[in-house]
Amino acid sequence: MHPYVMPPQKPKVWPWVVGGAAIVVLCIGIMVASLMPMINGGPARETARIEEMVSIADGIPTGDGWEVTAASDPKNDPGCVPLENPCHSLDRTWSTPVQVTVDDLRASTGYSLKTFANPDCAFGTVHENLNISLCVRSYEVVLRMHD
């Protein structure tokens, strides 16, 4: 008679599967991070987009005496995925010496901005999917832009 010998234990497979999946996810993350500047158009496109937004905002005042009371200029976000959320946004608020109407702003900008539920605000899309919103309050104009 032979003594009873325990059969050899099978190696566990799940640590290899989990480890392999983690490596695949890590590799995909590295590839996406390295390709993100090309998806967004690179640094030159980012700079051009920021300059375009600032140029549009600088062209909004329709007369003398407009003063910027609040400003938030766009910044370059290299990790931004433009399909999911805006990569740039710009907010400006001006105080005006005289009351301005939405029609005045629409005429001065030359953009085809539409008025919806709020008659004091106009919305539209300009220059390659750049969304713009202009709202008028008593002696104040508020601009919001995002891409």
Side-chain angles (χ1 to χ4, degrees):
M1 260 176 87
H2 298 294
Y4 179 73
V5 178
M6 298 263 309
Q9 199 173 22
K10 291 183 181 178
K12 292 181 182 179
V13 176
W14 70 267
W16 290 98
V17 171
V18 171
I23 290 172
V24 167
V25 168
L26 181 66
C27 289
I28 290 173
I30 290 170
M31 286 182 357
V32 168
S34 66
L35 293 175
M36 195 57 64
M38 288 187 278
I39 292 171
N40 288 338
R45 170 129 168 71
E46 293 292 325
T47 302
R49 189 61 156 188
I50 290 170
E51 289 173 357
E52 177 183 27
M53 292 177 84
V54 171
S55 172
I56 290 171
D58 289 345
I60 298 292
T62 60
D64 293 332
W66 285 51
E67 289 185 37
V68 175
T69 57
S72 162
D73 288 335
K75 303 289 184 242
N76 179 6
D77 182 4
C80 179
V81 178
L83 303 174
E84 294 178 3
N85 50 14
C87 294
H88 307 97
S89 62
L90 178 143
D91 295 329
R92 283 236 179 120
T93 304
W94 293 272
S95 65
T96 60
V98 295
Q99 246 178 332
V100 180
T101 66
V102 171
D103 291 332
D104 295 337
L105 291 172
R106 193 178 295 139
S108 71
T109 62
Y111 301 130
S112 62
L113 303 175
K114 295 183 171 83
T115 303
F116 295 106
N118 185 350
D120 295 330
C121 293
F123 306 92
T125 302
V126 297
H127 301 283
E128 294 183 31
N129 299 326
L130 190 58
N131 298 309
I132 187 171
S133 156
L134 281 168
C135 293
V136 176
R137 298 182 195 139
S138 182
Y139 297 96
E140 187 176 70
V141 174
V142 177
L143 165 70
R144 296 199 192 298
M145 238 186 305
H146 64 85
D147 62 358

